[in-house]
Amino acid sequence: MARYNFRETEAKWQRIWHERRLFESAAEPGRPKYYVLEMFPYPSGKLHVGHVRNYTMGDLVARYRRAQGFNVLHPMGWDAFGLPAENAAIAEHTHPALWTGENIRTMRAQLQRMGFAYDWSREIATCHPEYYRHEQKMFLDFLAAGLAYRKESWVNWDPVENTVLANEQVIEGRGWRSGAIVEKRLLAQWFLRITAYAEELLDALSGLDRWPERVRLMQEHWIGRSEGARVVFQVAGREERIEVFTTRQDTLFGASFLALSPNHPLAQRLAETDPTLAEFIAECNRIGTSEAAIETAEKRGYPTGLDAVHPFDPSRRVPVWVANFVLMEYGTGAIFGCPAHDQRDLEFARKYRLPVLPVVLPPGADPASFAVGEDAYIEDGTLYNSDFLDGLSVTSAKRAAGERLEALGRGERTIAWRLRDWGVSRQRYWGCPIPVVHCGACGIVPVPERDLPVTLPQDVSFAEPGNPLDRHPSWKHVACPACGRPAQRETDTLDTFFESSWYFLRFCSARSAEAFERATVDYWMPVDQYIGGVEHAVLHLLYSRFFTRALTRCGYLDLAEPFAGLFTQGMVCHQTYQSGTGDWLFPEEVATDAEGRIVDDAGRPVVTGRTEKMSKSKKNVVGLDAIVDTYGADTARLYLMSDSPPERDLEWTETGIEGTWRYVNRLWRLVDEPAIALPPAGTAIPAGLAPAAAALRRATHKTILAVTEDLDQFRFNRAVAHLRELSNAIEEFPAETPGAGHALREGLETLVRLLGPMMPHLAAEMWQRLGHGDVLALVPWPEADRDLARDTLVTIAVQVNGKLRGTLDIERDAEKGAVETAALALPQVSRWLDGNKPRKVIVVPNRIVSIVA
RNA sequence: GCGGACGUGGCGAAACGGUAGACGCAGCAGACUUAAAAUCUGCUCCGGGUUUCCCGGGUGCGGGUUCGAGUCCCGCCGUCCGCACCA
């Protein structure tokens, strides 16, 4: 029996697609377009099967939309700047550019072997000056527009990567890549003013109706809008004032202390003359607020000895503390504490024996006896002990207190955001240089546009830790562009998320001398279907939304949202294995012995661990090359689409890929060894076929409808199931049926066309084998004949008292009365009715008859 | 702690409120083979019975709505993910 020769076939069709430039596209104003994009990869080395699931999905969508007649843009490129290249340079004594280039060559070849329909003429790598020169210009435009700025601030310092991280890159107090506990450092850094768009980025989320709800919620929380008030407290007997932010201005009469962040300017100033306070602050910064959150929730404070004047009652004073749980980065860096109605304040007050004065009375509680115990009362209630607020609800009291603050000039209602500005400075070599010069006389001077790009020096050393740009003997020394005196280049480079924030625009006109051509961007954007991992929910996806708006503000384009549709795919998982000594083992290093035990090469027992996301560190990876060598690209592609819903994790198993390989061969035999002779391609199908042939036609057209719907809704696993049902129907088709050849040819051709987006090589070869001279990739998506797809007979379930008692085969759309009569006539039904008349009969057309006895 | 998602056979999973388990994996039995692989046929939720069929139970647990609930509502339990001293 002939096996399908994927090696020859896949190479053949890849050559034909390439030679005919089938997947290169150009903007065609007026023609409907479809921009499909998968999050571009970081060129880290070799691909494993887990890497290609989302590219397979993207390719499926691209080929499907192309068959539907859309002008499809489906590009690929490389997110090529980043720290792993530097680490490799250190470990392997190579250069980041060489290492990156080598990886790109390897991974490009791997993607090409998968037969993905990319327009390779648009390939980009972000580490090339032809790419990053444009973002240097963007940076300068942001600077001019006030969207980029430099400030000294407390930043997240990763002690392993020796660089600053953005808030979005700190996960549970640790660096997102290194896993090192992040420290706080006060540094002068470049920031992008993403907070200027906080409201817009939040409001526009509701319009992203083709985004997963989960991602929108994550962004909503990340942006974190809180309505409240800014309240000004005068420090008693001093000039200073302390501003706090609160969402509970209604509870101001319950205030029993003010707390400053250790990094609050007033706290810093007081520490200059108070060594104990200075030591307390130093300790807070040493531990770091985020680590403290992980280790212990203990609240610690230090009384400054100052008192603040209550804004509503000048005769009242509240002590001013410095407290470790107050963040300088949120609100104003200072709070007022109302222990009765805030759990955190309560814990602090209990520890330092500060008064707990309730001002919100729970419904039905007795004002004379109500007291707060272990838990602060945070629900709604009626204000009391609160002067002019007495008797109001929490909501009304918030309004009244806010109005009074505004009238007194001691505050105002305002909104606080959790979102902070995006810190983009990185103290690393392998990134885009920030195009500014520091001049002793002129300060910060932008590099003039005519001098762009500022390129990275090639001759750098990674022998010592720290930033090679800073150590380079000559690179940073330049004349000030403004005054000509000796000055120094900025040696920080941009966060690599800067590159990925606009690459989708560059793809629209990848070879343009400008960043992108306005007309092509206007045609192709927004991306119709974006596909990638959920790990970028508040990183890349938020930055890109901001960046698109910032570019619009600077006149580059006219667009707010870059990604109209988003799909976040699940991960590919594999069982993990460990040797007796605890070392991780690759799947190919283990086997099952005669007794069914899992053993290693030497026959020693292996510990099987949980199934986890494929990762090099746990060695539970399956190399892409090995799979393509053994089974071919199409088998891998189909398997990746078939076993789990695309948004859920997929477990890769050897038996699973083998099962798919068997199916591929079954498909091949359908055309290689057809059961009966088929009429020539293009023969019209005669009317009035035998029932069996009509049944196959019905199955065929039903499959078109089902698969089309499945692909539209990203239900690829169901699409595969429907295709397998059709191939089962074709295999079981009785060949001796009159007119069989016509129905069989239609079934096979339809199957092949529907398979095209998933298994493009096999389908193309089958199409040719069926006698077609054209290339399947250019054949339109099949259209279903709804009349042919409709059943003439339907099977209706019959329930008595909610239990299934029988089924009824009856003409489709039969009269309700006739269905009821037929159902009641069923012997199983009369047995359960026991001679009685039914109390009620419900007929759902073509579905069910429900009889109540 | 807050927010979200998800709990269905031995496994991956299907099921507009309408016949639970489609499609596949694994397993079992058989055919073809000297044999193996490949291929093909049949069986496979659990319990019971008078066994071409019938009865009962079954979608994490407990309630509810409905002629009818895996699906909707309320309350639990569990798993995973995100955020986490955000004032």
Side-chain angles (χ1 to χ4, degrees):
Chain A
M1 191 176 329
R3 289 276 194 101
Y4 167 56
N5 186 341
F6 63 83
R7 252 173 273 272
E8 219 167 82
T9 307
E10 291 183 351
K12 165 186 161 183
W13 288 103
Q14 284 168 18
R15 194 173 59 242
I16 290 171
W17 297 332
H18 175 72
E19 280 166 3
R20 300 206 190 175
R21 300 179 163 206
L22 280 189
F23 306 122
E24 293 181 18
S25 48
E28 290 177 51
R31 186 176 159 207
K33 62 91 186 181
Y34 203 93
Y35 188 172
V36 190
L37 187 64
E38 301 103 58
M39 289 181 186
F40 69 160
Y42 178 78
S44 57
K46 274 193 174 183
L47 294 171
H48 58 67
V49 291
H51 288 124
V52 295
R53 192 179 185 201
N54 67 326
Y55 306 130
T56 303
M57 291 175 192
D59 198 57
L60 202 166
V61 172
R63 288 175 181 269
Y64 168 58
R65 295 298 176 191
R66 189 185 308 276
Q68 284 187 319
F70 288 97
N71 187 18
V72 169
L73 175 59
H74 187 216
M76 178 46 71
W78 312 98
D79 191 12
F81 273 139
L83 200 53
E86 275 184 74
N87 293 339
I90 295 163
E92 300 165 29
H93 304 291
T94 173
H95 190 280
L98 293 175
W99 183 85
T100 303
E102 189 60 39
N103 289 344
I104 287 175
R105 272 188 295 282
T106 304
M107 287 169 64
R108 185 197 295 123
Q110 288 186 299
L111 292 180
Q112 286 173 341
R113 276 190 84 191
M114 289 297 287
F116 295 137
Y118 292 125
D119 179 351
W120 285 104
S121 74
R122 294 173 188 265
E123 181 183 3
I124 56 175
T126 58
C127 61
H128 293 153
E130 301 79 60
Y131 184 85
Y132 69 70
R133 68 182 303 154
H134 302 295
E135 69 187 43
Q136 291 180 337
K137 169 81 164 57
M138 289 171 191
F139 182 86
L140 295 178
D141 287 333
F142 291 166
L143 195 59
L147 290 168
Y149 66 95
R150 187 175 168 84
K151 76 166 178 197
E152 185 162 89
S153 78
W154 292 91
V155 293
N156 309 301
W157 180 263
D158 186 320
V160 168
E161 297 196 346
N162 279 315
T163 187
V164 160
L165 297 177
N167 293 310
E168 288 81 1
Q169 293 159 1
V170 179
I171 313 293
E172 292 181 348
R174 292 166 184 271
W176 68 308
R177 260 192 314 238
S178 70
I181 289 176
V182 166
E183 299 166 3
K184 290 276 167 199
R185 283 203 185 178
L186 190 63
L187 286 177
Q189 298 284 289
W190 288 99
F191 288 86
L192 293 192
R193 210 178 293 281
I194 191 171
T195 54
Y197 292 89
E199 187 135 38
E200 220 190 303
L201 289 169
L202 180 69
D203 292 347
L205 283 174
S206 60
L208 296 175
D209 54 349
R210 290 203 298 118
W211 278 43
E213 182 66 24
R214 185 159 69 119
V215 175
R216 287 190 291 173
L217 266 166
M218 281 165 72
Q219 291 209 355
E220 189 182 321
H221 291 152
W222 192 261
I223 295 168
R225 181 182 195 274
S226 299
E227 281 184 27
R230 202 173 48 82
V231 186
V232 182
F233 286 79
Q234 182 69 46
V235 178
R238 282 186 168 231
E239 287 297 299
E240 279 110 346
R241 303 157 133 228
I242 298 168
E243 280 190 17
V244 306
F245 174 77
T246 179
T247 56
R248 294 301 303 273
Q249 62 270 24
D250 55 308
T251 64
L252 265 168
F253 284 100
S256 56
F257 63 94
L258 255 54
L260 305 176
S261 165
N263 296 323
H264 193 279
L266 178 57
Q268 300 275 316
R269 209 164 338 124
L270 293 170
E272 287 167 14
T273 56
D274 183 345
T276 323
L277 175 58
E279 175 50 35
F280 176 76
I281 291 172
E283 198 178 323
C284 290
N285 280 328
R286 210 164 30 243
I287 297 168
T289 41
S290 36
E291 195 205 353
I294 303 162
E295 301 294 331
T296 159
E298 199 197 356
K299 295 182 180 32
R300 299 188 53 212
Y302 179 87
T304 62
L306 301 181
D307 281 326
V309 180
H310 195 282
F312 289 146
D313 180 359
S315 68
R316 268 182 76 178
R317 300 289 148 95
V318 288
V320 179
W321 289 63
V322 175
N324 65 341
F325 63 90
V326 182
L327 304 174
M328 192 57 224
E329 300 82 15
Y330 184 76
T332 61
I335 61 160
F336 86 84
C338 176
H341 306 293
D342 182 283
Q343 190 60 35
R344 203 183 30 207
D345 296 347
L346 183 64
E347 286 168 28
F348 190 77
R350 293 284 190 233
K351 176 160 181 180
Y352 293 106
R353 300 180 195 287
L354 296 164
V356 178
L357 175 65
V359 290
V360 179
L361 191 64
D366 177 5
S369 64
F370 176 68
V372 168
E374 286 292 289
D375 299 312
Y377 181 72
I378 55 173
E379 310 291 314
D380 198 5
T382 308
L383 273 286
Y384 73 130
N385 295 333
S386 290
D387 197 317
F388 68 97
L389 298 174
D390 283 353
L392 297 179
S393 70
V394 166
T395 311
S396 320
K398 281 183 181 177
R399 185 180 338 116
E403 282 167 1
R404 181 67 68 97
L405 286 169
E406 285 159 16
L408 293 167
R410 289 177 195 151
E412 63 192 350
R413 280 166 289 180
T414 182
I415 292 159
W417 302 89
R418 219 190 74 109
L419 184 70
R420 323 260 163 84
D421 277 337
W422 173 16
V424 292
S425 296
R426 296 291 179 274
Q427 292 70 40
R428 306 299 317 187
Y429 165 75
W430 194 232
C432 172
I434 298 174
V436 298
V437 170
H438 299 274
C439 171
C442 311
I444 288 167
V445 183
V447 173
E449 219 182 302
R450 61 171 186 278
D451 293 339
L452 296 183
V454 177
T455 53
L456 289 169
Q458 293 295 307
D459 52 333
V460 285
S461 147
F462 295 93
E464 302 161 57
N467 183 352
L469 290 178
D470 208 31
R471 288 198 313 268
H472 192 276
S474 59
W475 183 78
K476 69 177 175 184
H477 301 292
V478 287
C480 170
C483 69
R485 274 181 283 205
Q488 294 200 331
R489 285 194 190 285
E490 171 67 66
T491 58
D492 284 354
T493 51
L494 290 168
D495 182 3
T496 57
F497 281 101
F498 208 97
E499 282 85 63
S500 53
S501 292
W502 68 283
Y503 78 106
F504 41 87
L505 300 168
R506 180 69 180 166
F507 273 141
C508 296
S509 49
R511 300 288 168 262
S512 171
E514 308 156 72
F516 43 81
E517 283 163 21
R518 180 64 191 269
T520 57
V521 163
D522 286 348
Y523 175 75
W524 289 115
M525 289 296 292
V527 173
D528 296 276
Q529 186 62 61
Y530 200 30
I531 303 172
V534 74
E535 66 272 17
H536 286 294
V538 290
L539 286 158
H540 163 62
L541 289 167
L542 186 61
Y543 294 144
S544 296
R545 295 182 62 221
F546 155 67
F547 219 87
T548 309
R549 287 171 167 81
L551 288 176
T552 292
R553 175 131 130 209
C554 293
Y556 281 77
L557 72 161
D558 184 16
L559 185 70
E561 291 297 337
F563 313 123
L566 173 69
F567 187 86
T568 52
Q569 87 280 356
M571 298 175 297
V572 179
C573 299
H574 197 283
Q575 175 130 46
T576 51
Y577 306 99
Q578 276 175 292
S579 71
T581 53
D583 298 322
W584 299 103
L585 297 172
F586 285 108
E588 61 266 28
E589 292 176 321
V590 306
T592 309
D593 71 4
E595 279 112 73
R597 289 175 309 200
I598 313 278
V599 294
D600 68 5
D601 295 342
R604 290 172 300 214
V606 164
V607 181
T608 55
R610 47 180 269 181
T611 295
E612 296 185 58
K613 179 190 179 179
M614 282 192 183
S615 76
K616 280 185 201 162
S617 59
K618 296 201 173 154
K619 293 194 176 176
N620 61 337
V621 289
V622 174
L624 185 61
D625 289 338
I627 291 299
V628 177
D629 286 344
T630 312
Y631 302 104
D634 281 338
T635 301
R637 292 171 60 128
L638 187 72
Y639 178 50
L640 285 166
M641 293 302 97
S642 60
D643 257 23
S644 289
E647 69 278 7
R648 225 179 284 179
D649 290 351
L650 170 87
E651 189 186 352
W652 183 279
T653 61
E654 190 64 21
T655 50
I657 185 78
E658 275 172 6
T660 308
W661 170 233
R662 283 197 294 273
Y663 178 60
V664 164
N665 281 293
R666 266 175 63 202
L667 283 169
W668 175 243
R669 285 195 297 272
L670 288 178
V671 296
D672 191 48
E673 307 162 1
I676 49 172
L678 300 175
T683 311
I685 304 173
L689 295 181
L696 181 59
R697 295 203 70 192
R698 195 178 311 127
T700 299
H701 286 266
K702 273 183 169 177
T703 305
I704 298 174
L705 291 171
V707 171
T708 303
E709 201 186 322
D710 291 338
L711 297 192
D712 283 338
Q713 299 180 19
F714 263 72
R715 297 195 293 208
F716 304 138
N717 57 322
R718 290 212 329 188
V720 173
H722 283 126
L723 287 167
R724 291 186 91 127
E725 279 182 276
L726 179 59
S727 43
N728 288 347
I730 289 172
E731 282 183 336
E732 290 157 17
F733 181 59
E736 62 279 11
T737 306
H742 296 286
L744 191 56
R745 169 168 281 283
E746 184 188 38
L748 282 170
E749 290 191 348
T750 303
L751 180 64
V752 165
R753 289 160 77 187
L754 297 176
L755 280 168
M758 297 186 191
M759 297 202 284
H761 314 86
L762 173 67
E765 188 68 17
M766 287 171 78
W767 185 249
Q768 198 176 56
R769 196 56 89 89
L770 283 166
H772 292 277
D774 50 352
V775 177
L776 181 65
L778 296 170
V779 173
W781 192 247
E783 274 186 53
D785 183 326
R786 280 174 190 275
D787 291 328
L788 282 172
R790 194 165 294 135
D791 290 304
T792 47
L793 279 179
V794 289
T795 305
I796 292 178
V798 180
Q799 289 182 348
V800 180
N801 290 338
K803 287 205 186 303
L804 181 72
R805 294 302 175 193
T807 58
L808 191 61
D809 289 324
I810 200 163
E811 240 175 276
R812 192 190 165 81
D813 298 328
E815 285 289 318
K816 274 194 178 189
V819 174
E820 183 174 334
T821 310
L824 291 172
L826 286 173
Q828 309 95 294
V829 172
S830 38
R831 174 145 41 100
W832 285 95
L833 280 175
D834 205 14
N836 299 315
K837 265 193 75 164
R839 282 196 302 186
K840 196 174 175 187
V841 179
I842 295 150
V843 179
V844 182
N846 304 323
R847 284 251 165 227
I848 200 164
V849 180
S850 186
I851 298 163
V852 186

